[in-house]
C-alpha cells in the first residue's frame, strides 16, 4: 500500500512543547507529571481539549486513561498510544511522543478523508512510570487489576493510590471498568524514544521493536569471614568480595556460552561487610539482573550464573545464597506488524533496525491483548529519565511518519 | 647458653586476669582500656604496684610509659615490653601479654640471682592502639614526637590528647622528655599474640617475627558512565564495577608475578554510584592496600597494580584515578636476635616458625632505635581485637619461656 500522507512536524512540535510546559520545573529544567499528581491530571485535561479542537469526543476511562476514537465503523479499533505521566524531573518525549504523534496521525487521517475499515483510537495511558508500581492504566485496560490491589497500593511516601484518585474526583473502583475485550481491538502501535544508545551508535533513525526483553532480578549474598588484612595470609582468607570479582569477570564468557547478542547482565548495587579498608570483607550482598528477548536464553543465563556462583563459593570457601526477586517474561511484538512497520519504514527511505526494547513500555501488556508493534527513534546520547533527554525534531518527524504509515496500513479500507 | 629457668604460669595467669578486670565490661565481655582513659591509667598504676611488690622502683615517663629497671650495671638495658591500652571491647592478651610476661621474666631473673651484664627494663608503652593515631608511647621514647603534634592531635570524637593528659594530672609537653638515646638500650624483646591464623593452622606454638610488613593504602576511583541496564547493550557500556571485578580477579596472578608468599592485597571498602539494581554503575570508589616484608616487592606490586588498572581502564573506556593515602615501609627485626630466639625456642623443644607480622606493634619503632625481636604465640581462630580473643595458657607459658630464655641470652654475664 502506497500513499503520500505525511505528518505536520510543526504542529506536532507545538503540541509536545505545550504539553511539556505542564509540570515543567524551571529550576531543574525537568518535567514533573508524576502519575496521579495534579500536573499529570492537568496534562490529561489539556489533551482532551486538543481532541475537542479537532471536533472529536475524548473520554477518560475509570483508570484515568484518556481515549479518543475516530471512525464510526462497528469494528475493532487500531489503537495508538503511550503514556502522559513522567518520572520526577523527566524529559520532553518519554511517553508524550507516542500520545501526541497519535493525535497528529489522527488529524492527518481525519483530514485526508481516507476510508477506514477499522476506527482509530488514541490512548494516553496512566501511571506508566511506576509511582504505584507502574503500567496502571494499561493493566486496567487489559483487565489485570483487582479491587484489593487498588485499595491497598501505596507510593514510596506511603500515599495510597485510592486517596490520590479521590483527590482528583475519581472513583478508584471504576478503574475496573476500564477493561477492554480483545475483540474490541485490532492492533496497537506505539512510537517511543529508544532511551538507549543503539540507533545513535548505528547512525539509523528508525528502530522496529521485536519485543520487550524479559528480566530476572536476584539478590545474592556471598559469606566468608572478616579478618585482619595484615595478619591473614591470602590462602587462609575467605574473601567474599574476591568471589564477586570472579563472578563479574566471567560476564563476557557467561554471555558467550549461554547468552545472545542482546543479553545483558548487570550488577548495580554492592554492599560489603564490614566495609573497612583493612578488614578482609567477610560478606558481600549484591543485585544481579539478566535480560534477554528469549525466555530460554534467560533460563540458561540464570542456570549458568547459579552454577558459576556455586563453583566460586566452593573454590573460595564461601557460602552462596540468592533470592529470585522477580522474573518477568519477555513479550513479543506481532511478527506481521514488525514486518509491516519495517516495510513502511523502507518505503519512506529508511533502513530500519529490528531491535529489542530493554526498557518496559505500555506495549508489553498490549502484546497479550492484541497484535502490538513499536517504533523507536534515537535518543541523543542514549539519555532518558532526565531533563537532558533529547531527540532531534527531524527524527521525531520520521518516526511519526512511520507511525502514520503503519496506522493507515492497518486501518484503511 | 643453656639453663633451666622457667616462668611460673600460675603467677602470670593471675597477673593477666587481675589486669583484665580493669576496664572489663560485663555486658560486652570486652576490655576497655582505651589510651589515656581512666581505666588505662588505672591499669598503669596497678602495674607500678606490682613492680613495687617485687621491691623495685618503677616510674612513669612523660609519655605515660611505665618503666621498671632491674640491675645496677651502668650499661645499655635489655628492654622487654608491649602496651597496656586496648581497643574498644578488646581481648585479654593484646599488649598485656608482652608487659606481664616481661614482669614475670624480671621476677625469675631477679630471684635466680643470675649475674647480668645488661640491666633489664620492662616497659608498658602508652596508646599503641590508635586513639590518637597509635604508638604514642613508643614514638615518644624514640624521639619521634614534636610539641606541635602533642598540642594539636585529637581523637575521633574531637577530644585533644593534651586535655586527656592534663585530666590525668600529666603535663603533655613532658612527653618530649621520654626520649631514650640508642646508646642506653642494648636490645628490645616483645612477646605478643599472633592475631592471625598462621600458627594455629600450622599447629605450631612459637613464631619468631622477621619483621613487620610494610603497607600501602590507595583510594581508587574508576569512572565510566551510568546507564539504564535495560537499554544499554553490553558492548556500549562503560561499567566501572566490571572494571573493578577484573582487577580483583587478577590478584592471584599479580602476586604470582610480582609478589611473594607473604604478599597481601585487600579491597575492603567499595562504593558504587549510583548504586541502583537497574543502573549500570558509572563510578566505583574503593580502597586498595598491599603488604609485604620487602619494600621492593611492595613497589613492584604497586607498580603492577597501577599498570593493570590503567590497562583495564583503557580496555573498558573508564577513567582511572588513584591517591596513595599512605606508604609505611617494612621494619626488620635484628637478624642476630631472630636466630638467637629461634635457637632458644628449639632448645625448649619447639619448632619455631619464622614469619612476618602483618599487624603493627611497638617493636616496629624499636627496630629503628635498637636490635629488636618479637615472639608470637597462637591466636585461637586467628581472632583479636574482640572479646573472643583467646590464647591457650599452655601456649602463653611456652611463649613466655622463650622470652625468658631470650632475655637471659641477651642480658646475662
Amino acid at each position: 500500500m502506497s500513499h503520500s500522507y505525511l505528518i505536520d512536524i510543526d504542529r506536532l512540535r507545538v503540541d509536545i512543547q505545550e504539553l511539556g510546559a505542564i509540570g515543567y520545573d524551571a529550576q531543574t529544567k525537568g518535567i514533573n507529571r508524576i502519575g496521579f499528581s495534579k500536573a499529570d491530571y492537568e496534562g490529561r485535561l489539556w489533551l482532551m481539549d486538543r481532541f475537542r479542537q479537532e471536533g472529536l469526543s475524548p473520554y477518560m476511562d475509570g483508570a484515568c486513561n484518556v481515549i479518543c476514537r475516530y471512525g464510526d465503523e462497528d469494528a475493532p479499533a487500531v489503537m495508538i498510544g503511550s503514556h502522559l505521566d513522567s518520572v520526577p524531573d523527566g524529559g520532553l518525549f518519554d511517553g508524550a511522543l507516542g500520545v501526541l504523534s497519535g493525535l497528529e496521525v489522527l488529524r492527518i487521517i481525519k483530514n485526508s478523508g481516507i476510508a477506514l475499515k477499522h476506527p482509530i483510537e488514541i490512548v494516553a495511558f496512566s501511571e506508566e512510570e511506576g509511582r504505584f508500581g507502574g503500567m496502571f492504566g494499561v493493566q486496567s485496560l487489559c483487565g489485570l487489576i483487582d479491587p484489593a490491589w487498588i485499595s491497598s497500593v501505596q507510593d514510596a511516601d506511603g500515599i495510597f493510590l485510592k486517596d490520590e484518585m479521590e483527590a482528583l474526583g475519581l472513583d478508584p473502583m471504576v478503574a475496573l471498568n476500564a477493561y477492554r475485550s480483545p475483540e474490541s481491538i485490532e492492533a496497537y502501535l506505539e512510537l517511543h524514544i529508544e532511551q538507549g544508545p543503539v540507533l545513535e551508535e548505528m547512525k539509523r533513525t528508525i528502530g522496529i521493536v521485536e519485543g520487550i526483553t524479559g528480566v530476572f532480578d536476584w539478590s545474592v549474598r556471598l559469606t566468608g569471614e572478616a579478618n585482619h588484612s595484615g595478619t591473614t595470609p591470602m590462602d587462609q582468607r575467605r574473601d567474599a568480595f574476591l568471589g564477586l570479582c570472579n563472578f563479574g569477570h566471567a560476564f563476557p564468557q557467561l554471555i558467550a556460552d549461554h547468552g545472545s547478542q542482546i543479553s545483558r547482565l548487570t550488577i548495580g548495587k554492592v554492599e560489603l561487610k564490614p566495609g573497612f579498608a583493612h578488614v578482609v570483607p567477610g560478606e558481600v550482598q549484591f543485585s544481579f539482573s539478566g535480560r534477554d528477548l528469549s525466555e530460554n536464553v534467560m533460563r540458561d543465563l540464570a542456570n549458568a550464573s547459579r552454577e558459576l556462583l556455586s563453583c566460586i563459593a566452593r573454590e573460595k570457601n564461601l557460602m552462596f545464597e540468592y533470592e529470585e526477586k522477580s522474573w518477568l517474561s519477555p513479550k513479543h511484538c506481532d511478527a506481521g506488524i514488525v514486518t509491516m512497520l519495517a516495510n513502511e519504514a523502507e518505503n519512506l527511505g529508511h533502513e530500519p533496525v529490528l531491535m529489542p526494547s530493554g526498557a518496559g513500555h505500555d506495549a508489553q501488556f498490549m502484546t497479550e491483548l492484541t497484535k502490538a508493534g513499536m517504533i523507536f527513534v534515537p535518543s541523543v546520547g542514549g539519555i532518558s529519565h532526565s531533563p537532558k533527554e533529547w531527540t532531534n525534531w527531524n527524527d521525531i518527524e520520521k518516526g511519526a511518519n512511520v507511525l502514520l504509515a503503519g496506522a493507515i496500513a492497518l486501518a484503511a479500507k
Side-chain angles (χ1 to χ4, degrees), chain A:
Chain A
M1 186 178 314
S2 188
H3 59 80
S4 56
Y5 300 110
L6 292 172
I7 64 106
D8 180 341
I9 183 61
D10 292 327
R11 195 160 53 179
L12 175 54
R13 189 179 54 225
V14 168
D15 284 344
I16 290 173
Q17 287 167 339
E18 276 195 27
L19 175 62
I22 301 173
Y24 178 74
D25 180 329
Q27 200 150 19
T28 64
K29 306 200 187 306
I31 286 165
N32 288 276
R33 290 196 308 272
I34 320 304
F36 293 102
S37 66
K38 279 185 185 156
D40 174 44
Y41 196 71
E42 195 189 328
R44 291 167 193 282
L45 299 180
W46 172 91
L47 176 67
M48 291 175 80
D49 261 354
R50 268 295 196 267
F51 284 124
R52 287 190 199 103
Q53 285 167 22
E54 300 298 324
L56 299 166
S57 302
Y59 66 99
M60 191 179 286
D61 73 10
C64 214
N65 299 317
V66 172
I67 299 178
C68 184
R69 185 172 171 113
Y70 168 74
D72 293 330
E73 302 75 8
D74 184 19
V78 171
M79 257 193 168
I80 301 172
S82 191
H83 58 97
L84 282 192
D85 64 307
S86 79
V87 294
D89 286 326
L92 202 53
F93 300 107
D94 183 358
L97 173 63
V99 174
L100 299 178
S101 297
L103 164 63
E104 176 60 16
V105 163
L106 187 59
R107 286 190 194 112
I108 300 290
I109 290 178
K110 186 170 80 66
N111 297 340
S112 71
I114 297 171
L116 298 180
K117 63 183 175 196
H118 295 288
I120 306 278
E121 286 191 39
I122 309 303
V123 57
F125 288 115
S126 64
E127 215 295 89
E128 191 265 357
E129 291 289 5
R131 178 179 175 192
F132 296 102
M135 312 266 181
F136 173 71
V138 70
Q139 290 191 78
S140 299
L141 191 132
C142 292
L144 299 170
I145 298 292
D146 63 61
W149 187 88
I150 294 176
S151 49
S152 66
V153 68
Q154 304 168 45
D155 69 8
D157 295 326
I159 299 171
F160 283 89
L161 169 63
K162 66 179 170 57
D163 293 339
E164 283 295 77
M165 290 185 79
E166 278 164 8
L168 294 170
L170 307 170
D171 177 349
M173 289 304 157
V174 180
L176 298 168
N177 299 345
Y179 172 67
R180 288 283 293 265
S181 73
E183 295 75 33
S184 73
I185 302 174
E186 168 66 14
Y188 173 77
L189 295 180
E190 183 169 356
L191 172 64
H192 206 284
I193 54 169
E194 181 198 333
Q195 306 181 280
V198 175
L199 290 171
E200 184 179 69
E201 188 75 14
M202 295 177 77
K203 301 192 196 312
R204 305 282 190 89
T205 307
I206 301 295
I208 306 298
V209 175
E210 296 181 289
I212 289 91
T213 54
V215 54
F216 62 85
D217 279 301
W218 287 6
S219 172
V220 187
R221 185 163 52 206
L222 293 172
T223 311
E225 194 173 18
N227 288 119
H228 188 296
S229 71
T231 62
T232 316
M234 296 307 279
D235 60 1
Q236 284 174 253
R237 294 184 179 197
R238 299 173 60 204
D239 186 327
F241 183 66
L242 292 190
L244 170 54
C245 286
N246 285 4
F247 182 55
H249 176 264
F251 277 12
Q253 197 60 46
L254 267 176
I255 290 177
D257 291 348
H258 304 277
S260 76
Q261 287 233 317
I262 56 168
S263 296
R264 280 150 209 186
L265 299 179
T266 306
I267 294 166
K269 197 172 165 181
V270 174
E271 200 186 344
L272 267 66
K273 285 182 188 168
F276 300 134
H278 284 183
V279 181
V280 177
E283 185 183 313
V284 62
Q285 182 128 19
F286 60 96
S287 69
F288 171 57
S289 78
R291 295 167 189 259
D292 201 88
L293 200 48
S294 151
E295 191 141 25
N296 284 338
V297 170
M298 285 173 65
R299 195 62 72 189
D300 282 354
L301 281 170
N303 287 339
S305 298
R306 196 177 50 242
E307 280 163 28
L308 177 57
L309 282 162
S310 298
C311 171
I312 289 168
R314 269 193 306 278
E315 191 186 302
K316 292 199 165 279
N317 194 16
L318 306 172
M319 184 170 67
F320 158 50
E321 300 162 283
Y322 81 106
E323 188 191 347
E324 186 183 286
K325 309 287 282 186
S326 65
W327 181 280
L328 300 177
S329 299
K331 301 294 177 188
H332 296 278
C333 291
D334 179 77
I337 290 193
V338 169
T339 305
M340 179 277 286
L341 289 173
N343 288 340
E344 295 295 342
E346 280 169 14
N347 290 344
L348 287 164
H350 308 300
E351 284 186 87
V353 180
L354 269 57
M355 62 192 293
S357 171
H361 295 293
D362 294 301
Q364 73 195 59
F365 284 97
M366 295 304 284
T367 60
E368 312 263 294
L369 198 70
T370 186
K371 298 177 293 184
M374 281 193 86
I375 303 153
F376 272 172
V377 285
S379 293
V380 173
I383 297 165
S384 184
H385 286 190
S386 157
K388 292 183 192 160
E389 175 184 288
W390 190 250
T391 296
N392 293 316
W393 293 111
N394 265 343
D395 294 340
I396 297 280
E397 181 177 15
K398 288 167 183 166
N401 276 322
V402 175
L403 182 68
L404 172 63
I408 293 173
L410 288 168
K413 261 194 181 134

